[in-house]
Coordinates of all heavy atoms in Angstrom, one line a residue:
M1 N 52.5 240.0 87.4 CA 53.3 238.8 87.8 C 52.9 238.4 89.2 O 52.6 239.2 90.1 CB 54.8 239.1 87.7 CG 55.3 239.5 86.3 SD 55.4 238.1 85.2 CE 56.0 239.0 83.8
S2 N 53.1 237.1 89.5 CA 52.7 236.6 90.8 C 53.9 236.7 91.7 O 55.1 236.8 91.3 CB 52.2 235.2 90.6 OG 53.2 234.3 90.2
K3 N 53.6 236.5 93.0 CA 54.6 236.4 94.1 C 55.5 235.3 93.8 O 56.8 235.4 94.0 CB 54.0 236.3 95.4 CG 53.2 237.5 95.9 CD 52.7 237.2 97.3 CE 51.6 238.2 97.7 NZ 51.0 237.9 99.0
E4 N 55.0 234.1 93.4 CA 55.8 232.9 93.2 C 56.8 233.1 92.1 O 57.9 232.6 92.1 CB 55.0 231.7 92.8 CG 54.0 231.2 94.0 CD 52.8 232.1 94.2 OE1 52.4 232.8 93.3 OE2 52.4 232.2 95.4
Y5 N 56.4 233.9 91.0 CA 57.3 234.1 89.9 C 58.6 234.9 90.5 O 59.7 234.6 90.1 CB 56.6 235.0 88.9 CG 57.5 235.6 87.8 CD1 58.0 234.8 86.8 CD2 57.9 236.9 87.9 CE1 58.9 235.3 85.8 CE2 58.8 237.4 87.0 CZ 59.3 236.6 85.9 OH 60.2 237.2 85.1
Y6 N 58.3 235.9 91.2 CA 59.4 236.8 91.7 C 60.3 236.0 92.7 O 61.5 236.1 92.7 CB 58.9 238.0 92.4 CG 58.4 239.0 91.4 CD1 57.1 239.3 91.4 CD2 59.2 239.6 90.4 CE1 56.6 240.2 90.4 CE2 58.7 240.4 89.4 CZ 57.4 240.8 89.4 OH 56.9 241.6 88.5
K7 N 59.6 235.1 93.5 CA 60.5 234.3 94.5 C 61.3 233.3 93.7 O 62.5 233.2 94.1 CB 59.4 233.6 95.4 CG 58.8 234.4 96.4 CD 57.9 233.6 97.3 CE 57.2 234.5 98.3 NZ 56.3 233.8 99.2
K8 N 60.8 232.7 92.6 CA 61.6 231.8 91.9 C 62.7 232.5 91.1 O 63.8 232.0 91.1 CB 60.6 231.1 90.8 CG 61.4 230.0 90.0 CD 60.5 229.4 89.0 CE 61.1 228.4 88.2 NZ 62.5 228.6 87.7
K9 N 62.4 233.7 90.7 CA 63.4 234.5 89.9 C 64.6 234.9 90.9 O 65.7 234.7 90.4 CB 62.8 235.8 89.4 CG 63.7 236.6 88.5 CD 63.0 237.8 87.9 CE 64.0 238.6 87.1 NZ 63.4 239.7 86.3
I10 N 64.2 235.2 92.1 CA 65.3 235.6 93.0 C 66.2 234.3 93.4 O 67.4 234.4 93.4 CB 64.7 236.1 94.4 CG1 64.1 237.5 94.1 CG2 65.7 236.1 95.5 CD1 63.2 238.1 95.2
I11 N 65.5 233.2 93.5 CA 66.3 231.9 93.8 C 67.2 231.6 92.6 O 68.3 231.3 92.7 CB 65.3 230.8 94.1 CG1 64.6 231.0 95.4 CG2 66.0 229.5 94.1 CD1 63.5 230.1 95.7
D12 N 66.6 231.7 91.4 CA 67.4 231.4 90.2 C 68.6 232.4 90.0 O 69.8 231.9 89.6 CB 66.5 231.5 88.9 CG 65.5 230.4 88.8 OD1 65.7 229.3 89.6 OD2 64.6 230.5 88.1
L13 N 68.4 233.6 90.3 CA 69.5 234.6 90.2 C 70.6 234.4 91.3 O 71.8 234.5 90.9 CB 68.9 236.1 90.4 CG 68.1 236.5 89.2 CD1 67.4 237.8 89.5 CD2 69.0 236.7 88.0
R14 N 70.2 234.0 92.4 CA 71.2 233.6 93.5 C 72.0 232.4 93.1 O 73.2 232.3 93.3 CB 70.5 233.4 94.8 CG 70.0 234.6 95.5 CD 69.4 234.4 96.8 NE 69.0 235.7 97.4 CZ 68.0 235.7 98.3 NH1 67.3 234.6 98.7 NH2 67.7 236.9 98.8
A15 N 71.3 231.5 92.4 CA 72.0 230.3 91.9 C 73.1 230.7 90.8 O 74.1 230.2 90.7 CB 71.0 229.2 91.4
K16 N 72.6 231.6 89.9 CA 73.5 232.1 88.9 C 74.7 232.8 89.5 O 75.8 232.6 89.0 CB 72.8 233.1 87.9 CG 71.8 232.4 87.0 CD 71.2 233.5 86.1 CE 70.2 232.8 85.1 NZ 69.7 233.8 84.2
I17 N 74.5 233.5 90.5 CA 75.6 234.3 91.1 C 76.6 233.2 91.8 O 77.8 233.4 91.6 CB 75.1 235.2 92.2 CG1 74.4 236.4 91.6 CG2 76.2 235.7 93.1 CD1 73.7 237.3 92.6
A18 N 76.0 232.2 92.4 CA 77.0 231.2 93.0 C 77.8 230.5 91.9 O 79.0 230.3 92.1 CB 76.1 230.2 93.7
K19 N 77.1 230.2 90.8 CA 77.8 229.5 89.7 C 78.9 230.4 89.0 O 80.0 230.1 88.8 CB 76.8 229.1 88.6 CG 77.5 228.3 87.5 CD 76.6 228.0 86.4 CE 77.2 227.2 85.2 NZ 78.4 227.9 84.7
E20 N 78.6 231.7 89.0 CA 79.5 232.7 88.4 C 80.7 232.8 89.3 O 81.8 233.0 88.8 CB 78.8 234.0 88.2 CG 79.6 235.0 87.4 CD 79.7 234.6 85.9 OE1 78.8 233.9 85.4 OE2 80.7 235.0 85.3
R21 N 80.5 232.8 90.6 CA 81.7 232.9 91.5 C 82.5 231.7 91.4 O 83.8 231.8 91.4 CB 81.2 233.0 92.9 CG 80.6 234.4 93.2 CD 80.2 234.6 94.7 NE 79.8 236.1 94.9 CZ 78.8 236.4 95.7 NH1 78.1 235.5 96.4 NH2 78.6 237.6 95.9
E22 N 82.0 230.5 91.2 CA 82.8 229.3 91.0 C 83.6 229.4 89.7 O 84.7 229.1 89.6 CB 81.8 228.1 91.0 CG 81.3 227.8 92.3 CD 82.4 227.4 93.4 OE1 83.4 226.7 93.0 OE2 82.3 227.9 94.5
D23 N 82.8 229.9 88.7 CA 83.5 230.1 87.3 C 84.7 231.1 87.5 O 85.7 230.9 86.8 CB 82.5 230.6 86.3 CG 81.5 229.5 85.9 OD1 81.8 228.4 86.3 OD2 80.5 230.0 85.2
K24 N 84.5 232.1 88.2 CA 85.6 233.1 88.5 C 86.8 232.5 89.2 O 87.9 232.7 88.7 CB 85.0 234.3 89.3 CG 86.1 235.4 89.6 CD 85.5 236.5 90.4 CE 86.6 237.5 90.7 NZ 86.0 238.6 91.5
K25 N 86.5 231.7 90.2 CA 87.6 231.0 90.9 C 88.4 230.1 89.9 O 89.6 230.0 89.9 CB 87.1 230.1 92.0 CG 86.7 231.0 93.2 CD 86.0 230.0 94.3 CE 85.5 230.8 95.4 NZ 84.9 229.9 96.4
R26 N 87.6 229.4 89.1 CA 88.2 228.4 88.1 C 89.1 229.2 87.1 O 90.2 228.8 86.8 CB 87.1 227.6 87.4 CG 87.5 226.6 86.5 CD 86.4 225.8 85.8 NE 85.3 226.6 85.5 CZ 85.1 227.3 84.4 NH1 86.0 227.2 83.4 NH2 84.0 228.0 84.1
D27 N 88.6 230.3 86.5 CA 89.3 231.1 85.6 C 90.5 231.6 86.2 O 91.6 231.7 85.6 CB 88.4 232.2 85.0 CG 87.4 231.7 84.0 OD1 87.6 230.5 83.6 OD2 86.6 232.5 83.5
N28 N 90.4 232.2 87.5 CA 91.6 232.7 88.2 C 92.6 231.7 88.3 O 93.9 232.0 88.1 CB 91.2 233.4 89.4 CG 90.6 234.7 89.3 OD1 90.7 235.4 88.3 ND2 89.9 235.2 90.3
A29 N 92.3 230.6 88.7 CA 93.3 229.4 88.9 C 93.9 229.1 87.5 O 95.1 228.9 87.4 CB 92.6 228.2 89.5
Y30 N 93.1 229.0 86.5 CA 93.6 228.7 85.1 C 94.6 229.7 84.7 O 95.8 229.4 84.3 CB 92.4 228.7 84.1 CG 92.9 228.6 82.7 CD1 93.3 227.4 82.2 CD2 92.9 229.7 81.9 CE1 93.7 227.3 80.8 CE2 93.3 229.6 80.6 CZ 93.7 228.4 80.0 OH 94.1 228.3 78.7
Y31 N 94.3 231.0 84.8 CA 95.3 232.1 84.4 C 96.4 232.2 85.3 O 97.5 232.5 84.8 CB 94.5 233.4 84.2 CG 93.7 233.4 83.0 CD1 92.3 233.4 83.0 CD2 94.3 233.5 81.8 CE1 91.6 233.4 81.8 CE2 93.6 233.5 80.6 CZ 92.2 233.4 80.6 OH 91.5 233.4 79.4
A32 N 96.3 231.9 86.6 CA 97.5 231.9 87.4 C 98.4 230.9 87.0 O 99.7 231.0 87.0 CB 97.0 231.7 88.9
D33 N 97.9 229.7 86.7 CA 98.7 228.6 86.2 C 99.4 229.0 84.9 O 100.6 228.7 84.7 CB 97.9 227.3 86.0 CG 98.8 226.1 85.7 OD1 99.8 225.9 86.3 OD2 98.4 225.5 84.7
K34 N 98.7 229.6 84.0 CA 99.3 230.1 82.7 C 100.4 231.1 83.0 O 101.4 231.1 82.3 CB 98.2 230.7 81.8 CG 97.3 229.7 81.2 CD 98.0 228.8 80.2 CE 97.1 228.0 79.4 NZ 97.8 227.2 78.4
V35 N 100.2 232.0 83.9 CA 101.2 233.0 84.2 C 102.6 232.3 84.7 O 103.6 232.6 84.3 CB 100.7 234.0 85.2 CG1 101.9 234.9 85.8 CG2 99.7 234.9 84.6
K36 N 102.3 231.3 85.6 CA 103.5 230.6 86.2 C 104.3 229.9 85.1 O 105.5 229.8 85.1 CB 103.0 229.6 87.2 CG 102.6 230.3 88.5 CD 102.1 229.2 89.5 CE 101.5 229.9 90.7 NZ 100.9 228.9 91.6
S37 N 103.5 229.3 84.1 CA 104.2 228.4 83.2 C 104.6 229.2 81.8 O 105.2 228.6 81.0 CB 103.3 227.2 82.8 OG 102.2 227.7 82.1
A38 N 104.3 230.4 81.8 CA 104.6 231.2 80.6 C 106.1 231.4 80.4 O 106.8 231.5 81.4 CB 104.0 232.7 80.6
S39 N 106.6 231.4 79.2 CA 108.0 231.3 79.0 C 108.6 232.7 78.9 O 109.8 232.9 79.4 CB 108.3 230.6 77.6 OG 107.6 231.3 76.5
G40 N 108.0 233.7 78.4 CA 108.6 235.0 78.3 C 107.7 236.1 79.0 O 106.6 235.9 79.4
P41 N 108.4 237.2 79.2 CA 107.7 238.3 79.9 C 106.5 238.8 79.1 O 105.5 239.2 79.7 CB 108.8 239.4 80.0 CG 109.9 238.9 79.1 CD 109.7 237.5 78.8
S42 N 106.5 238.8 77.8 CA 105.3 239.3 77.0 C 104.1 238.3 77.2 O 103.0 238.7 77.3 CB 105.7 239.5 75.5 OG 106.0 238.2 75.0
N43 N 104.4 237.0 77.2 CA 103.5 236.0 77.5 C 102.8 236.2 78.9 O 101.6 236.1 79.1 CB 103.9 234.6 77.3 CG 104.1 234.2 75.9 OD1 103.6 234.9 74.9 ND2 104.9 233.3 75.6
K44 N 103.7 236.4 79.8 CA 103.2 236.6 81.2 C 102.3 237.8 81.3 O 101.3 237.8 82.0 CB 104.4 236.7 82.2 CG 105.0 235.4 82.5 CD 106.1 235.6 83.6 CE 106.8 234.3 83.8 NZ 107.1 233.9 85.1
A45 N 102.7 238.9 80.7 CA 101.9 240.1 80.7 C 100.6 239.9 80.1 O 99.5 240.4 80.5 CB 102.7 241.3 80.0
Y46 N 100.5 239.1 78.9 CA 99.3 238.8 78.3 C 98.3 238.1 79.2 O 97.2 238.4 79.2 CB 99.6 238.1 77.0 CG 98.3 237.5 76.3 CD1 97.5 238.3 75.6 CD2 97.9 236.2 76.5 CE1 96.3 237.9 75.0 CE2 96.8 235.7 75.9 CZ 96.0 236.5 75.2 OH 94.9 236.1 74.6
Y47 N 98.9 237.0 79.8 CA 98.0 236.2 80.7 C 97.6 237.0 82.0 O 96.5 236.8 82.5 CB 98.8 234.9 81.1 CG 98.8 233.9 80.0 CD1 100.1 233.3 79.6 CD2 97.7 233.5 79.3 CE1 100.1 232.4 78.6 CE2 97.8 232.6 78.3 CZ 99.0 232.1 77.9 OH 99.0 231.1 76.9
R48 N 98.4 237.9 82.4 CA 98.0 238.7 83.6 C 96.8 239.6 83.2 O 95.8 239.8 83.9 CB 99.1 239.5 84.1 CG 100.1 238.7 84.9 CD 101.2 239.6 85.6 NE 102.2 238.9 86.3 CZ 103.4 238.8 85.9 NH1 103.9 239.5 84.9 NH2 104.2 238.0 86.6
K49 N 97.0 240.2 82.0 CA 95.9 241.1 81.5 C 94.6 240.3 81.3 O 93.5 240.7 81.6 CB 96.3 241.8 80.2 CG 95.3 242.8 79.8 CD 95.8 243.5 78.4 CE 94.8 244.5 77.9 NZ 93.4 244.1 77.9
S50 N 94.8 239.1 80.7 CA 93.6 238.3 80.4 C 92.9 237.9 81.7 O 91.7 237.9 81.8 CB 94.0 237.0 79.7 OG 94.4 237.3 78.4
K51 N 93.7 237.6 82.8 CA 93.1 237.2 84.0 C 92.4 238.4 84.6 O 91.2 238.2 85.1 CB 94.3 236.9 85.1 CG 93.9 236.4 86.4 CD 95.0 236.0 87.3 CE 94.6 235.8 88.7 NZ 95.7 235.4 89.6
I52 N 92.9 239.6 84.6 CA 92.2 240.7 85.1 C 90.9 241.0 84.2 O 89.8 241.3 84.9 CB 93.1 242.0 85.0 CG1 94.3 241.8 86.0 CG2 92.4 243.2 85.3 CD1 95.4 242.8 85.9
D53 N 91.0 240.9 83.0 CA 89.9 241.2 82.1 C 88.7 240.2 82.4 O 87.5 240.5 82.5 CB 90.2 241.1 80.7 CG 91.1 242.3 80.2 OD1 91.1 243.3 81.0 OD2 91.8 242.2 79.1
H54 N 89.0 238.9 82.6 CA 88.1 237.9 82.8 C 87.4 238.0 84.2 O 86.3 237.9 84.4 CB 88.6 236.4 82.7 CG 88.8 236.1 81.2 ND1 89.9 236.3 80.4 CD2 88.0 235.4 80.3 CE1 89.8 235.9 79.2 NE2 88.6 235.3 79.1
A55 N 88.3 238.4 85.2 CA 87.7 238.6 86.5 C 86.7 239.7 86.5 O 85.7 239.7 87.2 CB 88.9 238.8 87.5
A56 N 87.1 240.8 85.8 CA 86.2 242.0 85.7 C 84.9 241.6 85.0 O 83.9 242.1 85.4 CB 86.9 243.1 85.0
A57 N 85.0 240.8 84.0 CA 83.7 240.4 83.3 C 82.8 239.6 84.3 O 81.6 239.7 84.3 CB 84.1 239.6 82.1
H58 N 83.4 238.7 85.1 CA 82.7 238.0 86.1 C 82.0 238.9 87.1 O 80.9 238.7 87.5 CB 83.6 236.9 86.8 CG 83.9 235.8 85.9 ND1 83.0 234.8 85.5 CD2 85.1 235.3 85.4 CE1 83.6 233.9 84.7 NE2 84.9 234.2 84.7
D59 N 82.8 239.9 87.6 CA 82.3 240.8 88.5 C 81.1 241.6 87.9 O 80.2 241.9 88.7 CB 83.4 241.8 89.0 CG 84.4 241.1 89.9 OD1 84.1 240.0 90.4 OD2 85.6 241.6 89.9
R60 N 81.2 242.0 86.7 CA 80.2 242.8 86.1 C 78.9 242.0 86.0 O 77.8 242.5 86.4 CB 80.5 243.2 84.7 CG 81.4 244.4 84.7 CD 81.6 245.0 83.2 NE 82.1 244.0 82.3 CZ 83.3 243.8 82.0 NH1 84.3 244.4 82.7 NH2 83.7 242.9 81.1
R61 N 79.0 240.7 85.7 CA 77.8 239.8 85.6 C 77.2 239.6 87.0 O 76.0 239.6 87.1 CB 78.1 238.4 85.1 CG 78.0 238.4 83.5 CD 78.3 237.1 82.9 NE 79.6 237.4 82.2 CZ 80.6 236.6 82.1 NH1 80.5 235.3 82.6 NH2 81.7 236.9 81.4
I62 N 78.0 239.4 88.0 CA 77.6 239.3 89.4 C 76.8 240.5 89.9 O 75.8 240.4 90.4 CB 78.7 238.9 90.3 CG1 79.2 237.5 90.1 CG2 78.3 239.1 91.8 CD1 80.5 237.1 90.8
E63 N 77.4 241.7 89.5 CA 76.8 242.9 89.9 C 75.4 243.1 89.2 O 74.5 243.6 89.8 CB 77.6 244.1 89.7 CG 78.8 244.2 90.6 CD 78.3 244.2 92.0 OE1 77.4 245.0 92.5 OE2 79.0 243.5 92.8
Q64 N 75.4 242.7 87.9 CA 74.1 242.8 87.2 C 73.0 241.9 87.8 O 71.8 242.5 88.0 CB 74.4 242.4 85.7 CG 73.1 242.3 84.9 CD 73.3 241.6 83.5 OE1 74.5 241.3 83.2 NE2 72.3 241.4 82.8
W65 N 73.4 240.7 88.2 CA 72.4 239.9 88.8 C 72.0 240.3 90.2 O 70.8 240.2 90.6 CB 72.9 238.4 88.8 CG 72.9 237.8 87.5 CD1 72.0 238.1 86.4 CD2 73.9 236.9 86.9 NE1 72.3 237.3 85.3 CE2 73.4 236.6 85.6 CE3 75.0 236.3 87.4 CZ2 74.1 235.7 84.8 CZ3 75.7 235.4 86.6 CH2 75.3 235.1 85.3
K66 N 72.9 241.0 90.9 CA 72.5 241.6 92.2 C 71.5 242.7 92.0 O 70.5 242.8 92.8 CB 73.7 242.1 92.9 CG 74.6 241.0 93.5 CD 75.8 241.7 94.3 CE 76.7 240.6 94.9 NZ 77.9 241.2 95.6
R67 N 71.7 243.5 90.9 CA 70.7 244.5 90.7 C 69.4 244.0 90.3 O 68.3 244.4 90.6 CB 71.2 245.4 89.6 CG 72.4 246.4 90.0 CD 72.6 247.4 88.9 NE 73.1 246.8 87.7 CZ 74.3 246.6 87.3 NH1 75.3 246.7 88.2 NH2 74.6 246.0 86.1
E68 N 69.4 242.9 89.5 CA 68.1 242.2 89.2 C 67.4 241.6 90.4 O 66.2 241.7 90.5 CB 68.4 241.1 88.2 CG 68.7 241.6 86.7 CD 68.8 240.5 85.7 OE1 68.1 239.5 85.8 OE2 69.6 240.6 84.8
I69 N 68.2 241.0 91.4 CA 67.6 240.6 92.6 C 66.9 241.7 93.3 O 65.7 241.5 93.8 CB 68.6 239.9 93.4 CG1 69.1 238.5 92.9 CG2 68.1 239.7 94.9 CD1 70.2 237.9 93.6
E70 N 67.6 242.8 93.4 CA 66.9 244.0 94.1 C 65.7 244.4 93.4 O 64.7 244.8 94.0 CB 68.0 245.2 94.2 CG 69.1 244.9 95.2 CD 68.7 244.5 96.5 OE1 67.8 245.2 97.1 OE2 69.2 243.6 97.1
S71 N 65.7 244.4 92.1 CA 64.5 244.8 91.3 C 63.4 243.8 91.6 O 62.3 244.2 91.7 CB 64.9 244.9 89.8 OG 63.8 245.1 89.1
A72 N 63.7 242.6 91.6 CA 62.7 241.5 91.9 C 62.1 241.6 93.3 O 60.9 241.5 93.5 CB 63.3 240.1 91.6
K73 N 63.0 242.0 94.2 CA 62.5 242.1 95.6 C 61.5 243.3 95.7 O 60.5 243.3 96.3 CB 63.7 242.4 96.5 CG 64.4 241.1 96.9 CD 65.6 241.5 97.9 CE 66.5 240.3 98.2 NZ 67.6 240.6 99.1
E74 N 61.9 244.4 95.0 CA 61.0 245.6 95.0 C 59.7 245.2 94.3 O 58.6 245.6 94.8 CB 61.6 246.7 94.2 CG 62.8 247.3 94.9 CD 62.4 247.9 96.3 OE1 61.3 248.5 96.3 OE2 63.1 247.7 97.2
S75 N 59.7 244.5 93.2 CA 58.5 244.0 92.5 C 57.7 243.1 93.4 O 56.4 243.2 93.4 CB 58.8 243.3 91.2 OG 59.5 244.2 90.4
L76 N 58.3 242.2 94.2 CA 57.7 241.4 95.1 C 56.9 242.2 96.2 O 55.8 241.8 96.5 CB 58.7 240.4 95.7 CG 58.1 239.3 96.7 CD1 57.2 238.4 95.9 CD2 59.3 238.5 97.3
K77 N 57.5 243.2 96.7 CA 56.9 244.0 97.7 C 55.7 244.7 97.1 O 54.7 244.8 97.9 CB 57.9 245.1 98.2 CG 58.9 244.6 99.1 CD 59.9 245.8 99.6 CE 61.0 245.3 100.3 NZ 62.0 246.3 100.7
R78 N 55.7 245.1 95.8 CA 54.6 245.8 95.2 C 53.4 244.7 95.0 O 52.2 245.2 94.9 CB 54.9 246.4 93.9 CG 55.6 247.7 94.1 CD 55.9 248.4 92.8 NE 57.3 248.2 92.5 CZ 57.8 247.8 91.4 NH1 57.0 247.6 90.4 NH2 59.1 247.6 91.2
C79 N 53.7 243.5 94.9 CA 52.7 242.5 94.7 C 51.9 242.3 96.0 O 50.7 241.8 95.9 CB 53.2 241.2 94.3 SG 53.8 241.1 92.6
K80 N 52.4 242.5 97.1 CA 51.7 242.2 98.4 C 50.5 243.1 98.7 O 50.4 244.1 98.2 CB 52.7 242.2 99.5 CG 53.7 241.1 99.4 CD 54.6 241.1 100.6 CE 55.5 239.9 100.5 NZ 56.5 239.8 101.6

């Protein structure tokens, strides 16, 4: 692979991370609103759990892409 390929891959992954962080903020706001407007304690508990689960999923994706960036950086170093 070429240097340009890895450079583009790193830029694309950073863009994905930024988008994922925005998605996480949007989901957190959505679930926070659902918790506030929930009628019963079981509904509130469900939305709280959903909020935590979705935030964890976003965090896993962000960490995965960070690992891919590190891998691409290592591959870029080997190309030189």
